Amino acid sequence: MIEAQSRAGHIDLFYADETRVSTEGYVPYGWQFAHEKLTIEVKRWGALNVFGLLNRSNQLIYRTTVENINADFVIEQLESLSWKITRPTVVVLDNASAHKARKLAQCIDYWQQRGLFLFYLPPYSPHLNIIERFWKELKEGCIRPEDYQSADTLFYAVDRALAATGKQIKVNFANYQ
């Protein structure tokens, strides 16, 4: 199993995915008293896309962009990683079209020669990709409501949270088999 190889220190294991943080806000749930009027202003000033690779030690490798993340962007990130690794490395990906594109598949042989291997999760299994939990923590716990006031404040808050990951910000992934 890949996890066992990682725990034994034989390989590096990263979970990869992308997310979008938008000035439209993130409200997973809310409540209010019956007599209370609660509103959140929606602003459409911009969005920041993040492609990240995260391991269970909270080491995060990431890149942000205001452009859409497509296969070319993912290839660029994996290519960069393939030149930096020092031992066999496995990257776990979901089945998003940017991850399964033909042009990305054409790079796999070169990456494997450098020690970078891709592992695709079964369809409809985001619960198996730990970076999904990190994106949720980022949006719910690291970004404050006042950070959504402008694109600049939001992008700064996201950048600071991403930079603090593994240092001040950690997700507990200790309970895995």
Side-chain angles (χ1 to χ4, degrees):
M1 176 173 200
I2 297 172
E3 293 275 357
Q5 293 291 316
S6 176
R7 279 194 307 274
H10 300 298
I11 64 168
D12 287 329
L13 176 61
F14 287 92
Y15 295 81
D17 202 16
E18 54 277 329
T19 193
R20 180 178 182 91
V21 182
S22 169
T23 56
E24 293 178 22
Y26 177 76
V27 184
Y29 62 89
W31 68 273
Q32 66 193 52
F33 294 110
H35 65 277
E36 185 179 44
K37 183 175 181 178
L38 180 63
T39 62
I40 298 174
E41 184 180 353
V42 174
K43 299 178 180 181
R44 298 176 193 261
W45 291 333
L48 187 67
N49 294 307
V50 184
F51 180 81
L53 298 119
L54 180 71
N55 68 15
R56 290 190 180 272
S57 300
N58 286 273
Q59 177 188 0
L60 176 67
I61 302 166
Y62 68 93
R63 177 142 174 246
T64 61
T65 181
V66 294
E67 303 297 324
N68 289 330
I69 293 178
N70 57 23
D72 292 327
F73 190 92
V74 174
I75 290 169
E76 183 181 319
Q77 303 319 303
L78 294 174
E79 179 71 14
S80 175
L81 177 65
S82 76
W83 288 108
K84 296 175 185 172
I85 59 177
T86 57
R87 64 178 169 177
T89 301
V90 175
V91 174
V92 175
L93 294 162
D94 61 21
N95 290 280
S97 59
H99 304 165
K100 298 285 279 192
R102 183 176 304 157
K103 59 174 75 174
L104 187 139
Q106 293 171 344
C107 300
I108 290 175
D109 287 341
Y110 300 112
W111 293 334
Q112 287 179 351
Q113 291 173 18
R114 297 180 201 146
L116 179 67
F117 301 88
L118 303 184
F119 177 84
Y120 289 97
L121 293 170
Y124 309 108
S125 56
H127 59 286
L128 298 176
N129 194 341
I130 66 168
I131 201 167
E132 297 286 359
R133 180 68 195 164
F134 173 72
W135 296 143
K136 185 175 195 268
E137 292 292 326
L138 173 75
K139 293 175 183 179
E140 286 184 4
C142 301
I143 303 171
R144 304 165 303 165
E146 55 268 28
D147 294 330
Y148 288 96
Q149 294 304 309
S150 73
D152 287 341
T153 58
L154 179 61
F155 294 0
Y156 180 78
V158 171
D159 182 65
R160 294 297 82 218
L162 293 171
T165 302
K167 302 163 191 80
Q168 294 90 359
I169 298 172
K170 294 184 179 182
V171 179
N172 183 4
F173 299 120
N175 298 324
Y176 70 98
Q177 299 301 322

